């Protein structure tokens, strides 16, 4: 829903910068700019990977939605109306119609209509069609992994994003390494009440047989999050949020942090790893562990394991 995404972005800019908005200077934007994640090309080397987003590839210098619309010659009073997605459907179709006429397009405009719930007749037809197909067992409602926007409460496709084009969900396997009692002081409140696991994300779960230790970032921020009534995972906040949207949280879509931790609190923890040849393994520090990927915890195996 690119129109809805653009309308929401405009509304957030007005809420943050005012109406009409006063945006930060170009120098301030450069200082606070974060590099865009690159597109994932694993398994598809033949695909072109651009380092530019859709927004930066287009003509014009507008970074904010308001600036982009200003480049079209719209007044401040007119732009503020585009916070409502329905206004886009009223404003732009007549302009598009005139442009098509200028191209010399021959069209029976009596047959044109809007294909959203703004048109109750079309909306009613689509609902009837979907309901009939569902009753016949031709379509089902199910879940699938996708890029999801908690802010908008819906999947966020390529055309809905200002940056991150080509990014796809990354499939990790979590290895539940149980923390062996007695717990350290930071986790003392959980001892005897819940099973506590250090959850490591891996792309190679077959190496768990040869595990020798687990890695954490000493200065990284972690937390003990409720996964169910009985289980707690020690992961980063980012990982806990991702898990919460995959039905791995006691409260759906709302991760519950019982204890805030830093990596230093986890170093030396004895762990019981499933299927490992070692009865116990230990948590060790590693400075290049990334807390913005996976769970912020990594497992490792011996040098002789493939």
């Amino acid at each position: 829903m690119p129109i809805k995404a653009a309308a929401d972005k405009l509304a957030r800019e007005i809420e943050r910068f005012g109406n009409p908005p006063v945006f930060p200077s170009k120098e301030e934007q450069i200082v606070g700019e974060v590099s865009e994640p690159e597109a994932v090309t694993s398994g598809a080397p033949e695909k072109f990977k651009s380092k530019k987003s859709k927004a930066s590839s287009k003509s014009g210098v507008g970074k904010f939605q308001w600036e982009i619309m200003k480049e079209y010659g719209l007044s401040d009073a007119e732009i503020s109306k585009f916070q409502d997605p329905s206004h886009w459907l009223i404003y732009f179709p007549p302009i598009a119609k005139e442009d098509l006429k200028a191209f010399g397009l021959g069209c029976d405009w009596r047959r044109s209509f809007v294909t959203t719930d703004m048109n109750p007749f079309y909306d009613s037809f689509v609902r009837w069609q979907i309901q009939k197909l569902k009753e016949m067992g031709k379509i089902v409602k199910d879940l699938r992994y996708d890029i999801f926007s908690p802010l908008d409460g819906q999947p966020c496709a390529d055309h809905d994003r200002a940056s991150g084009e080509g990014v796809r969900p990354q499939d990790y396997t979590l290895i539940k390494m149980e923390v062996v009692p007695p717990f350290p002081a930071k986790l003392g409140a959980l001892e005897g009440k819940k099973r506590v696991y250090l959850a490591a994300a891996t792309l190679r779960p077959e190496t768990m047989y040869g595990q020798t230790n687990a890695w954490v970032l000493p200065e990284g921020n972690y937390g003990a999050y409720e996964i169910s009534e009985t289980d707690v995972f020690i992961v980063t906040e980012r990982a806990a949020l991702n898990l919460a949207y995959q039905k791995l949280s006691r409260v759906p879509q709302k991760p519950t942090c019982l204890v805030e931790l830093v990596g230093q609190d986890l170093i030396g923890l004895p762990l019981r790893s499933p299927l490992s040849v070692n009865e116990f393994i230990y948590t060790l520090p590693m400075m290049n562990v990334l807390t913005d990927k996976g769970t912020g915890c990594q497992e490792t195996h011996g040098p002789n394991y493939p």
Side-chain angles (χ1 to χ4, degrees), residues 146-176:
D146 204 350
I147 304 297
F148 186 81
S149 170
L151 186 63
D152 299 309
Q154 65 180 26
C156 189
D158 266 5
H159 290 281
D160 299 337
R161 305 180 216 146
S163 63
E165 181 182 359
V167 175
R168 294 288 181 266
Q170 176 67 65
D171 185 16
Y172 285 98
T173 298
L174 292 190
I175 298 180
K176 294 167 56 178

Side-chain angles (χ1 to χ4, degrees), residues 49-76:
K49 180 178 73 173
S50 172
K51 293 185 178 180
K52 292 185 177 181
S53 66
K54 283 189 178 70
S56 63
S57 298
K58 293 176 181 176
S59 59
V61 296
K63 175 181 178 181
F64 297 96
Q65 186 66 43
W66 186 286
E67 292 176 331
I68 293 171
M69 303 193 77
K70 194 82 171 177
E71 291 172 2
Y72 287 117
L74 297 171
S75 66
D76 289 342

Side-chain angles (χ1 to χ4, degrees), residues 27-49:
E27 291 76 13
E28 291 173 327
Q29 292 180 31
I30 293 172
V31 170
E33 206 169 67
V34 178
S35 60
E36 178 187 338
E38 292 186 357
V40 176
T41 57
S42 177
E46 72 281 359
K47 290 186 179 180
F48 171 75
K49 180 178 73 173

Side-chain angles (χ1 to χ4, degrees), residues 95-279:
I95 297 175
K97 182 178 176 181
E98 293 304 314
D99 288 344
L100 291 171
K101 285 182 177 179
F103 274 118
L105 176 70
C107 181
D108 183 359
W109 298 106
R110 296 174 300 174
R111 298 178 179 271
S112 63
F113 57 91
V114 175
T115 58
T116 70
D117 56 4
M118 278 190 66
N119 183 336
F121 302 104
Y122 180 83
D123 186 60
S124 178
F125 163 70
V126 172
R127 289 177 182 273
W128 168 84
Q129 186 181 50
I130 295 297
Q131 288 169 358
K132 292 292 289 184
L133 290 172
K134 186 176 181 181
E135 291 170 3
M136 296 167 63
K138 301 297 183 182
I139 57 174
V140 295
K141 183 178 181 180
D142 205 347
L143 299 176
R144 67 182 176 91
Y145 295 109
D146 204 350
I147 304 297
F148 186 81
S149 170
L151 186 63
D152 299 309
Q154 65 180 26
C156 189
D158 266 5
H159 290 281
D160 299 337
R161 305 180 216 146
S163 63
E165 181 182 359
V167 175
R168 294 288 181 266
Q170 176 67 65
D171 185 16
Y172 285 98
T173 298
L174 292 190
I175 298 180
K176 294 167 56 178
M177 298 175 289
E178 186 174 2
V179 179
V180 179
F183 291 175
K186 277 277 190 175
L187 297 174
L190 303 177
E191 189 166 357
K193 298 180 180 179
K194 294 179 180 290
R195 293 193 297 268
V196 181
Y197 299 93
L198 186 69
T202 180
L203 300 174
R204 293 189 59 195
E206 73 278 3
T207 64
M208 63 192 296
Y209 299 104
Q211 275 183 269
T212 57
N213 65 280
W215 302 111
V216 293
L217 181 67
E219 304 303 321
N221 293 319
Y222 297 85
Y225 292 88
E226 285 188 293
I227 299 300
S228 65
E229 295 293 340
T230 58
D231 291 358
V232 172
F233 280 6
I234 297 176
V235 294
T236 59
E237 181 182 7
R238 177 182 179 276
L241 182 62
N242 283 333
L243 291 172
Y245 279 89
Q246 298 176 61
K247 297 186 176 180
L248 287 173
S249 179
R250 190 178 65 82
V251 180
Q253 302 183 9
K254 292 182 180 179
T256 306
C257 183
L258 301 177
V259 181
E260 292 184 355
L261 303 161
V262 294
Q264 197 68 42
D265 299 326
L266 306 173
I267 294 173
L269 274 183
L271 308 169
R272 186 178 290 111
S273 184
L275 302 180
S276 173
V277 295
N278 302 301
E279 182 179 0

